[in-house]
């Protein structure tokens, strides 16, 4: 498994089972997803009405960046008023499903992507803004462009974790996505550095179409003076910048790009952990080899001085 | 952040792994503890049976790396090319992948594979960032402390879990029985009868501590019942006597009867509603009907009269339970008789608990009577025998973990990453007893 899934596997398998005539029963499960997202899947009214609720830390920010319209577009008629303690709820009635298999699968897919879609709003908004800005910019030459267009739009901040945030900023020729990362663990930080260096170098070596990746320990210029960005330069917080070029922002690519970039942090951490597991397995193998060598090096049973019962010894004649 | 997220409960058994979040009443995922890797099957046997086999080589001689260890020579992304759970079985059915079972006889056998199994369980199935969650893992009784340490090393060093608690399955099964209305005081003293697919264990627990010297295992469990049903089907010459069909019949129709002779008579008298028909649906759309007869009550009967199935193992389960309790310290025996808790899939037969309770009570009463007679006139105050069946038996240990993992004080019982860094892996040799006296 190189890439993480975007959908929640539990929601997917559960709904698929129910939609295809699995045994009906009451469900009441609280499950977690990455980044402190909590889902609550339940059947509050009757066994056929499945309510899926989502709680996400930065929901207020997402709404501010247009999450409501994205979610309405995706879930339209299934939206119900949010369950208390949660931010967003959809409810499906098993007796009122799309008739064909394709429609059912599509619905399962869409609901299992609930978190992804909620988080997608600021990206979609930024991508739209990019298209708008690039259209405007095409009317001017680079010298005569008015201030607003040359600088680009506002910076959208999503504080999706307690100490980490994503910043998205559109301008007329690119969209910049900046992740702030923090490592609690020294080892992880070192692994992280190696990984990030690879990301930065990948473009130079083979993959020309990849977005440009930059890594630095102080806030990049885009975030200078942005409220809430720590200005300390003790190297604790790292900033990873992805520069998405127009070719990544085309209509066909857009959904895929959003999904990818959202899971970046989890992908990053998953691979740090997987590398540790790999290194551990090599260490175990190496230890086993050393042990084998040690066992082989055991001296042959050496000649001990043997005594008779009365305490005399036999002298070995040379 | 770890303060708000639910704890992750993982119960990795020989046959199946149960994964989920504390506070739920059933695990989110239940799948075989199997991992499919590129190349041929590693390790010998690997049938996933919980039956004690002849140990060929202790794991410290192979360094726990298993016979393969090929991975160390690879420099690509081969270490990520694997599947776990049901996907592993599917992948191994094709070509190119070999199936491995990293847990054998309840204990982790291959740490390399287990580390990857956990990695995939956490990131692909549970989808959690381990740094944000506390983890509750389970271990079999008599798990060597070295295994605990190795588990802690992986959990803390690879995954940086926020906190870790390792609990004994039998103790969790006791905690799960608290949901039964028969249990008044939430004590952690009792006898656990844990019967899964491969082996049945009878484990006495006193105040949350397993009495290791008295544990007995019975080589009769779910798989044997299935085989017994299958052999009965074969003898009768049913049109379908595959293992799958036998398993379905076992799960759907079997129950425990109070007395075989009477049950035979009843079957002959009321044959219409006692004999059943089982319809087998094949993948290609065909169906066959299989008659279901005496195996309905005969199959679970092998626990109580093993001689009808096996010629080597002849002690009935009630006698074993009685022996286990009799070999335990005298001051806890009363508590052990009073709280006999069932756990595992093979204890789910209807009236299993009732029959067990009756048989154990007969043994106990006979003994009391004999000693009364010997003492010449002294009267015994009697001894209460109670077998507890409850709704969460199937995933008993997992449910107990879920129950204890959601309590507010659970996190204070965990060892944290900081403590681990300070003291080292030996820290997990000792855990404060969760759910014991002093906690709610």
């Amino acid at each position: 498994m190189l890439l993480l899934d975007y959908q929640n596997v539990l929601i997917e398998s559960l709904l698929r089972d129910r939609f295809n005539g699995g045994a009906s029963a009451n469900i009441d499960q609280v499950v977690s997803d990455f980044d402190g997202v909590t889902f609550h899947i339940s059947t509050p009214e009757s066994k056929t009405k499945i309510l899926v609720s989502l709680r996400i830390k930065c929901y207020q920010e997402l709404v501010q960046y247009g999450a409501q319209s994205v979610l309405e577009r995706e879930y339209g008629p299934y939206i119900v008023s949010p369950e208390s303690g949660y931010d967003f709820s959809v409810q499906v009635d098993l007796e009122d499903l799309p008739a064909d298999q394709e429609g059912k699968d599509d619905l399962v897919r869409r609901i299992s992507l609930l978190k992804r879609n909620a988080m997608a709003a600021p990206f979609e908004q930024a991508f739209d803004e990019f298209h708008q800005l690039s259209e405007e910019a095409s009317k001017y030459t680079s010298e005569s462009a008015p201030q607003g267009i040359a600088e680009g739009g506002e910076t959208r901040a999503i504080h999706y974790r307690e100490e980490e945030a994503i910043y998205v900023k559109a301008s007329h020729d690119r969209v910049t996505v900046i992740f702030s990362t923090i490592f609690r663990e020294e080892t992880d930080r070192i692994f992280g550095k190696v990984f990030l260096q690879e990301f930065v170098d990948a473009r130079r070596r083979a993959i020309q179409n990849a977005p440009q990746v930059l890594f630095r320990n102080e806030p990049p210029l885009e975030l200078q003076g942005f409220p809430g960005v720590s200005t300390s330069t003790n190297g604790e917080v790292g900033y990873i910048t992805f520069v998405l070029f127009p070719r990544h922002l085309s209509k066909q690519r857009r959904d895929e790009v959003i999904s990818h970039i959202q899971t970046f942090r989890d992908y990053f951490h998953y691979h740090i952990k997987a590398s540790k597991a790999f290194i551990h397995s090599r260490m175990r193998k190496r230890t086993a080899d050393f042990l084998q060598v040690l066992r082989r090096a055991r001296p042959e049973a050496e000649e001990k001085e043997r005594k008779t019962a009365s305490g005399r010894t036999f002298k070995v004649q040379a | 952040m770890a303060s708000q997220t639910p704890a992750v409960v993982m119960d990795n058994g020989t046959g199946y792994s149960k994964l989920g979040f504390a506070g739920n009443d059933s695990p989110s995922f239940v799948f075989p503890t199997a991992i499919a890797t590129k190349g041929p099957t590693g390790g010998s046997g690997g049938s996933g049976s919980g039956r004690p086999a002849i140990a060929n080589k202790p794991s410290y001689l192979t360094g726990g790396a298993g016979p393969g260890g090929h991975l160390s020579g690879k420099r690509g992304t081969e270490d990520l090319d694997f599947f776990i759970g049901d996907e592993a079985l599917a992948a191994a059915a094709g070509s190119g992948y070999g199936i491995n079972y990293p847990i054998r006889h309840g204990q982790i056998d291959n740490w390399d594979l287990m580390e990857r199994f956990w990695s995939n369980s956490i990131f692909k199935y549970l989808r959690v960032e381990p740094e944000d969650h506390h983890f509750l893992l389970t271990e079999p009784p008599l798990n060597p402390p070295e295994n605990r340490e190795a588990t802690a090393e992986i959990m803390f060093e690879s995954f940086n879990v926020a906190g870790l608690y390792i609990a004994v399955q039998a103790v969790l099964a006791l905690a799960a029985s608290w949901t039964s209305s028969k249990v008044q005081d939430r004590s952690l003293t009792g006898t656990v009868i844990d019967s899964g697919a491969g082996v049945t264990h009878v484990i006495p627990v006193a105040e949350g501590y397993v009495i290791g010297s008295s544990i007995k295992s019975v080589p009769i469990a779910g798989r044997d019942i299935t085989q017994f049903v299958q052999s009965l089907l074969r003898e009768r010459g049913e049109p379908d006597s595959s293992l799958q069909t036998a398993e379905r019949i076992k799960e759907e129709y079997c129950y425990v009867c109070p007395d075989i002779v009477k049950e035979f008579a009843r079957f002959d008298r009321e044959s219409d509603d006692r004999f059943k028909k089982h319809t087998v649906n094949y993948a290609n759309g065909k169906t066959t009907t299989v008659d279901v007869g005496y195996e309905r009550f005969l199959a679970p009967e092998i626990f109580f009269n093993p001689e009808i199935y096996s010629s080597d193992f002849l002690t009935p389960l009630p006698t074993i339970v009685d022996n286990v309790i009799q070999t335990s310290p005298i001051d806890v025996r009363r508590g052990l008789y009073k709280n006999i808790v069932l756990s595992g899939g093979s204890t789910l037969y209807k009236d299993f608990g009732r029959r067990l309770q009756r048989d154990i009570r007969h043994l106990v009463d006979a003994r009391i009577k004999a000693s009364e007679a010997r003492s010449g006139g002294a009267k015994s105050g009697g001894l209460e025998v109670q077998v507890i069946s409850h709704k969460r038996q199937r995933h008993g240990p997992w449910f107990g973990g879920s129950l204890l993992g959601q309590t507010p004080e659970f996190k204070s019982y965990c060892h944290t990453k900081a403590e681990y860094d300070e003291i080292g892996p030996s820290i997990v040799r000792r855990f404060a007893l969760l759910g014991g006296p002093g906690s709610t």
Side-chain angles (χ1 to χ4, degrees):
Chain A
M1 187 177 73
L2 270 179
L3 289 170
L4 295 171
D5 297 332
Y6 310 128
Q7 78 279 24
N8 187 298
V9 191
L10 179 71
I11 298 184
E12 191 188 18
S13 58
L14 203 110
L15 289 183
R16 178 159 300 150
D17 177 55
R18 283 303 147 87
F19 283 13
N20 295 322
S24 72
N26 283 319
I27 317 170
D28 188 11
Q29 289 240 324
V30 177
V31 297
S32 256
D33 205 320
F34 291 118
D35 307 326
V37 170
T38 313
F39 288 106
H40 183 208
I41 312 159
S42 55
T43 47
E45 288 166 36
S46 67
K47 284 179 183 175
T48 57
K49 285 190 180 148
I50 301 176
L51 181 72
V52 181
S53 304
L54 166 87
R55 181 170 58 215
I56 190 163
K57 196 180 152 286
C58 52
Y59 191 70
Q60 284 317 312
E61 284 172 344
L62 294 175
V63 169
Q64 194 188 325
Y65 300 130
Q68 204 65 42
S69 65
V70 174
L71 292 170
E72 256 159 41
R73 185 190 71 208
E74 290 291 327
Y75 303 108
Y78 299 105
I79 299 178
V80 289
S81 63
E83 197 181 339
S84 79
Y86 291 84
D87 295 313
F88 182 78
S89 297
V90 287
Q91 179 165 309
V92 250
D93 193 335
L94 291 180
E95 283 157 5
D96 188 23
L97 287 175
D100 52 333
Q101 190 59 35
E102 218 164 278
K104 279 188 202 168
D105 286 346
D106 184 56
L107 187 60
V108 170
R109 198 185 53 82
R110 270 190 289 161
I111 293 179
S112 62
L113 286 173
L114 192 55
K115 177 196 169 214
R116 183 250 170 222
N117 288 334
M119 296 272 284
F123 293 95
E124 294 204 357
Q125 209 182 40
F127 288 12
D128 288 342
E129 193 181 22
F130 154 78
H131 286 293
Q132 208 179 323
L133 283 172
S134 65
E135 215 156 274
E136 299 236 333
S138 61
K139 296 177 196 154
Y140 305 96
T141 59
S142 58
E143 286 85 31
S144 66
Q147 197 64 17
I149 291 168
E151 274 194 350
E154 56 155 342
T155 307
R156 296 173 180 78
I158 317 157
H159 294 89
Y160 68 125
R161 291 172 67 83
E162 224 136 82
E163 291 163 311
E164 292 163 75
I166 308 176
Y167 304 95
V168 191
K169 184 185 160 98
S171 44
H172 68 91
D173 57 352
R174 60 178 184 266
V175 173
T176 319
V177 181
I178 301 162
F179 284 84
S180 67
T181 61
I182 191 161
F183 286 111
R184 285 190 213 126
E185 193 59 27
E186 187 58 40
T187 346
D188 282 18
R189 189 177 335 194
I190 295 162
F191 271 105
K193 246 188 195 147
V194 176
F195 267 100
L196 287 170
Q197 202 53 48
E198 280 298 312
F199 278 120
V200 176
D201 289 347
R203 207 172 125 84
R204 251 179 252 160
R205 277 209 304 270
I207 314 156
Q208 254 79 37
N209 291 340
Q212 193 178 357
V213 183
L214 303 163
F215 174 66
R216 54 198 288 176
N217 276 329
E218 59 263 28
L221 285 174
E222 281 91 343
L223 298 183
Q224 221 98 77
F226 192 79
V229 175
S230 80
T231 46
S232 70
T233 48
N234 55 2
E236 258 201 350
V237 185
Y239 293 90
I240 306 149
T241 311
F242 288 86
V243 184
L244 303 176
F245 293 119
R247 76 167 88 82
H248 304 119
L249 303 171
S250 62
K251 283 263 182 282
Q252 309 86 350
R253 293 264 178 86
R254 163 176 170 146
D255 284 343
E256 188 72 353
V257 167
I258 294 175
S259 302
H260 267 311
I261 208 147
Q262 266 186 21
T263 50
F264 168 72
R265 183 191 180 278
D266 310 311
Y267 167 85
F268 187 39
H269 278 246
Y270 164 63
H271 278 274
I272 289 176
K273 270 139 208 169
S275 337
K276 283 199 270 185
F278 176 61
I279 288 175
H280 287 169
S281 86
R282 293 189 55 183
M283 288 181 349
R284 279 188 207 107
K285 170 88 165 107
R286 184 53 77 83
T287 326
D289 288 350
F290 281 152
L291 278 175
Q292 214 160 21
V293 172
L294 270 180
R295 273 199 303 278
R296 261 190 235 127
R298 195 182 320 180
E300 313 249 312
E302 55 205 286
E303 195 69 28
K304 267 207 287 185
E305 207 178 40
R306 278 185 241 173
K307 284 187 174 153
T308 61
S310 58
R312 281 192 228 167
T313 55
F314 294 106
K315 281 251 167 71
V316 181
Q317 297 284 310
Chain B
M1 185 169 273
S3 53
Q4 311 140 25
T5 49
V8 173
V9 182
M10 297 208 281
D11 178 19
N12 298 111
T14 315
Y16 284 88
S17 281
K18 280 75 76 177
L19 317 173
F21 295 96
N24 290 340
D25 59 357
S26 63
S28 302
F29 298 99
V30 179
F31 49 68
T33 312
I35 172 168
T37 49
K38 261 289 192 261
T41 305
S44 56
S47 59
S49 91
R51 178 81 37 98
I54 304 143
N56 45 7
K57 212 177 225 185
S59 65
Y60 59 82
L61 283 182
T62 55
H70 305 305
L71 208 55
S72 55
K74 303 278 169 56
R75 289 293 180 276
T77 51
E78 287 85 352
D79 60 316
L80 296 177
D81 189 4
F82 66 91
F83 297 99
I84 65 167
D86 295 316
E87 283 188 340
L89 299 185
S95 66
Y97 287 92
I99 195 117
N100 295 279
Y101 293 88
I103 296 190
R104 298 175 71 185
H105 319 313
Q107 293 183 351
I108 298 168
D109 186 56
N110 189 327
W111 293 96
D112 280 354
L113 294 177
M114 202 59 209
E115 192 167 1
R116 286 151 77 195
F117 183 88
W118 275 329
S119 152
N120 221 343
S121 328
I122 293 173
F123 282 97
K124 178 164 182 176
Y125 288 92
L126 292 169
R127 288 176 71 82
V128 293
E129 167 66 72
E131 281 161 47
D132 300 341
H133 290 258
H134 283 66
F135 279 68
L136 194 155
L137 302 187
T138 67
E139 61 171 6
L142 302 182
N143 194 27
E146 287 80 5
N147 282 1
R148 269 190 180 200
E149 287 188 8
T151 307
E153 273 177 22
I154 292 179
M155 281 297 153
F156 282 120
E157 291 184 20
S158 290
F159 298 122
N160 301 340
V161 296
L164 177 70
Y165 190 89
I166 303 178
V168 183
Q169 279 149 12
V171 179
L172 293 180
L174 276 181
S177 75
W178 294 346
T179 50
S180 162
S181 56
K182 271 196 252 173
V183 178
Q184 278 105 29
D185 55 333
R186 301 184 147 201
S187 78
L188 282 178
T189 301
T191 315
V192 176
I193 299 174
D194 185 1
S195 184
V199 75
T200 301
H201 285 289
V202 182
I203 306 152
V205 182
E207 318 256 309
Y209 291 94
V210 173
I211 304 169
S213 56
S214 305
I215 294 177
K216 282 269 182 326
S217 60
V218 183
I220 290 177
R223 205 169 293 140
D224 300 280
I225 301 179
T226 311
Q227 275 167 10
F228 186 63
V229 171
Q230 189 185 24
S231 69
L232 288 175
L233 294 179
R234 289 231 167 110
E235 275 170 32
R236 271 211 313 273
E238 292 293 345
D240 185 321
S241 57
S242 66
L243 214 54
Q244 282 86 342
T245 310
E247 197 164 301
R248 300 290 302 163
I249 290 177
K250 176 187 86 170
E251 282 165 16
E252 277 176 38
Y253 303 99
C254 283
Y255 64 91
V256 177
C257 68
D259 187 306
I260 336 183
V261 182
K262 283 189 190 143
E263 203 67 15
F264 266 116
R266 185 174 299 161
F267 260 66
D268 297 337
R269 217 170 41 240
E270 318 162 7
S271 27
D272 288 348
D273 48 304
R274 292 280 156 179
F275 290 100
K276 301 269 181 191
K277 294 233 184 279
H278 175 71
T279 319
V280 190
N281 296 310
Y282 294 103
N284 59 12
K286 285 187 194 160
T287 55
T288 325
T289 318
V290 177
D291 289 319
V292 186
Y294 301 125
E295 59 268 23
R296 289 190 65 197
F297 63 91
L298 277 182
E301 192 65 30
I302 64 175
F303 278 119
F304 301 97
N305 289 304
E307 63 274 9
I308 59 175
Y309 168 70
S310 138
S311 51
D312 335 314
F313 184 82
L314 299 171
T315 327
L317 186 63
T319 317
I320 293 193
V321 176
D322 191 52
N323 281 342
V324 163
I325 299 177
Q326 286 297 317
T327 52
S328 299
I330 195 161
D331 55 333
V332 293
R333 284 184 206 164
R334 202 169 271 275
L336 295 181
Y337 275 119
K338 206 180 123 191
N339 194 19
I340 300 173
V341 171
L342 305 177
S343 148
S346 302
T347 59
L348 292 172
Y349 303 105
K350 191 171 166 289
D351 291 334
F352 184 86
R354 195 187 296 194
R355 170 80 185 273
L356 195 63
Q357 177 169 327
R358 190 197 71 184
D359 285 7
I360 297 174
R361 186 170 285 156
H362 280 315
L363 290 170
V364 170
D365 287 348
R367 186 165 47 238
I368 289 178
K369 217 166 191 179
S371 60
E372 273 175 353
R374 271 201 305 277
S375 69
K379 269 275 163 241
S380 156
L383 186 61
E384 192 187 350
V385 176
Q386 183 169 256
V387 176
I388 291 168
S389 308
H390 58 93
K391 288 200 179 68
R392 313 285 179 211
Q393 250 162 256
R394 185 189 289 272
H395 302 306
W398 186 91
F399 182 75
S402 164
L403 208 64
L404 296 176
Q406 67 170 333
T407 54
E409 66 272 11
F410 167 68
K411 275 161 192 160
S412 63
Y413 283 81
C414 288
H415 288 311
T416 61
K417 173 85 172 131
E419 287 166 348
Y420 174 85
D421 285 342
E422 188 64 35
I423 295 169
S426 63
I427 190 173
V428 292
R429 289 189 174 228
R430 193 149 298 160
F431 279 102
L433 183 66
L434 188 58
S439 72
T440 48

